[in-house]
Amino acid sequence: MTISYTVVGDGPAVLLVHAGVADARMWSALVEDLRDDHQVITLDLRGYGETPLEAGAKYSDASDVLAVLDEVGAGAVSAVGASYGGYVVQQVASREPKRFARVVLLCAPTDNVEPDEELRALWAEENALIDAGDVAAATELTVNRWIGPDATADARNLLRTMQRHAYDVQIPAGDVDNEEWPVEPERITAPVWLVTGSHDFRFFTDSADYLAERLPTSERIDLPWAGHLPLLERPTETTTLIRTALTEEV
């Protein structure tokens, strides 16, 4: 199939869906921890990592995720989604709630919440750099603004590599049509852990608060040290948090 994915380990299935400034490589520390007692499914969404993006493509990330779950024969899975990946997980879980046993959302946006002005300004700056053909500067903007103060040089370099590759794939593809399914929190029957970082943009905190008011079952966690990508910033601490969310009694 079009989507590049990997399956490792044995045990309860866990699906990992990456952030929009990253690809499946962001999960390496978590995969190594979980593979001993879980079946871990990772994928690259279209235009990221090993998955191509055709010029003018019409597709749905949410539909692609369901297709991967069907291809690997997964029943009800737990899912961890980072940022945009968490938004995709919400779309799928709203339409197919029985496919999910637990959900962990790391700094994820949602529907019906407006981006804050700081984030809008960042997007405008990024778009201006891309329009000017300065992809290197746009990449550095991502590294400077999308990862928290605790990130190591290696983590920043990994983010730089993933984001630059995404630009190199996505920019030549031009305008594409990615159909987004509506998010309906009230339909998500799985327990959901809502994780945010105090150093992140307000939009993601507002999104988590909005979801916490509407989800049937949720746990709200704010990390005082974290930016937008806590797994890259403190891998050990964030892995422990995710493992707890996947295994503790609800």
Side-chain angles (χ1 to χ4, degrees), residues 4-242:
S4 174
Y5 67 88
T6 63
V7 183
V8 299
D10 188 34
V14 181
L15 170 72
L16 309 180
V17 188
H18 62 80
V21 294
D23 56 47
R25 287 173 285 184
M26 71 166 285
W27 300 116
S28 59
L30 183 61
V31 171
E32 287 306 305
D33 180 84
L34 292 179
R35 66 185 299 168
D36 290 340
D37 53 2
H38 289 78
Q39 180 191 66
V40 186
I41 307 163
T42 60
L43 56 83
D44 287 320
L45 299 171
R46 298 194 198 213
Y48 297 91
E50 299 299 318
T51 300
L53 180 64
E54 297 178 356
K58 293 184 178 182
Y59 62 99
S60 163
D61 285 328
S63 180
D64 286 342
V65 167
L66 268 181
V68 169
L69 293 178
D70 289 341
E71 173 115 340
V72 303
V77 302
S78 295
V80 183
S83 188
Y84 174 71
Y87 180 52
V88 175
V89 169
Q90 292 170 62
Q91 294 174 50
V92 183
S94 295
R95 182 168 294 194
E96 298 283 350
K98 292 182 180 180
R99 300 295 296 264
F100 296 89
R102 295 168 182 246
V103 173
V104 182
L105 301 178
L106 303 173
C107 306
T110 196
D111 287 347
N112 302 314
V113 178
E114 290 297 318
D116 58 273
E117 290 304 314
E118 185 181 7
L119 182 55
R120 290 182 186 275
L122 174 61
W123 285 338
E125 185 177 357
E126 178 189 22
N127 289 334
L129 290 169
I130 295 297
D131 290 343
D134 197 344
V135 179
T139 302
E140 290 308 307
L141 181 67
T142 293
V143 176
N144 290 333
R145 300 295 299 279
W146 285 104
I147 197 165
D150 287 1
T152 65
D154 285 346
R156 293 176 185 277
N157 284 334
L158 175 60
L159 179 59
R160 181 177 293 109
T161 298
M162 293 187 291
Q163 176 64 97
R164 179 56 193 252
H165 175 74
Y167 283 143
D168 289 343
V169 174
Q170 294 168 17
I171 291 172
D175 292 335
V176 297
D177 183 4
N178 178 11
E179 178 193 359
E180 295 181 345
W181 299 352
V183 172
E184 301 176 83
E186 295 83 359
R187 285 181 48 82
I188 300 175
T189 55
V192 181
W193 278 257
L194 301 162
V195 182
T196 53
S198 294
H199 294 278
D200 200 2
F201 295 96
R202 194 184 75 242
F203 173 52
F204 301 100
T205 300
D206 290 347
S207 292
D209 292 342
Y210 175 91
L211 289 169
E213 294 175 356
R214 290 162 176 81
L215 288 162
T217 306
S218 66
E219 180 78 19
R220 183 74 176 85
I221 300 169
D222 188 70
L223 304 175
W225 50 265
H228 189 65
L229 299 166
L231 187 62
L232 293 182
E233 296 159 22
R234 290 193 186 179
T236 301
E237 190 167 332
T238 308
T239 293
T240 299
L241 184 156
I242 293 170

